[in-house]
Amino acid sequence: MQVNEAIKERRSIRNYNDQMLNESTLKEIINLGILAPSAKNTQPWYFKVIYKDKILKEKIADMLVDKMGNIALRTSNAIKTSEALVIVYGNINNEVFDYSSIGACIENMLLSAIELGVSSLWIGYILEIEKELRNI
């Protein structure tokens, strides 16, 4: 698949089927994310991968609804039904540069997922429970 095709095909998927995601595909998506450009080559990203841990995904999904209310129900359901949740954290020293770099990393991951036949969703609401996530 060419890049322009992946860009055109990318969608935010909130309803997952029983499609299996194998560990090697998940690692490939993350490794392609890491190849994103970053300001001053700081590579400010790091990841917490929750793979096939239904209890932890449900806990995170419920935390999101507790914090945000019904507005987060669809996103919460997407977390619960996903095969994996990749939380991308940042080591933020320069907000503009570091957030832009992390965004590039995430976009690489989303486009890689399309090429590999994996549905994905960029969850912005997750920032609402960032402190709580760091304590898990």
Side-chain angles (χ1 to χ4, degrees), residues 11-19 21 50-54 56-62 64-65 70-87 118-126:
R11 300 287 179 272
S12 295
I13 305 300
R14 290 176 178 82
N15 297 306
Y16 298 102
N17 55 24
D18 292 333
Q19 173 191 14
L21 174 65
I50 302 162
Y51 181 60
K52 296 188 178 184
D53 186 339
K54 186 175 182 169
L56 185 52
K57 286 188 298 176
E58 285 183 4
K59 181 177 182 177
I60 291 169
D62 291 342
L64 195 59
V65 172
N70 289 344
I71 193 170
L73 283 175
R74 283 185 68 206
T75 302
S76 172
N77 185 58
I79 292 170
K80 289 178 181 180
T81 60
S82 68
E83 189 81 9
L85 178 63
V86 179
I87 301 171
V118 175
S119 300
S120 62
L121 174 65
W122 183 338
I123 302 173
Y125 286 155
I126 209 79

Side-chain angles (χ1 to χ4, degrees), residues 24-37:
S24 64
T25 301
L26 182 56
K27 285 180 181 179
E28 178 72 5
I29 291 168
I30 293 168
N31 286 332
L32 291 167
I34 290 169
L35 294 176

Side-chain angles (χ1 to χ4, degrees), residues 100-118:
S100 297
S101 298
I102 292 165
C105 173
I106 293 170
E107 183 67 8
N108 268 21
M109 292 169 63
L110 294 170
L111 294 175
S112 300
I114 287 294
E115 182 180 14
L116 295 168
V118 175

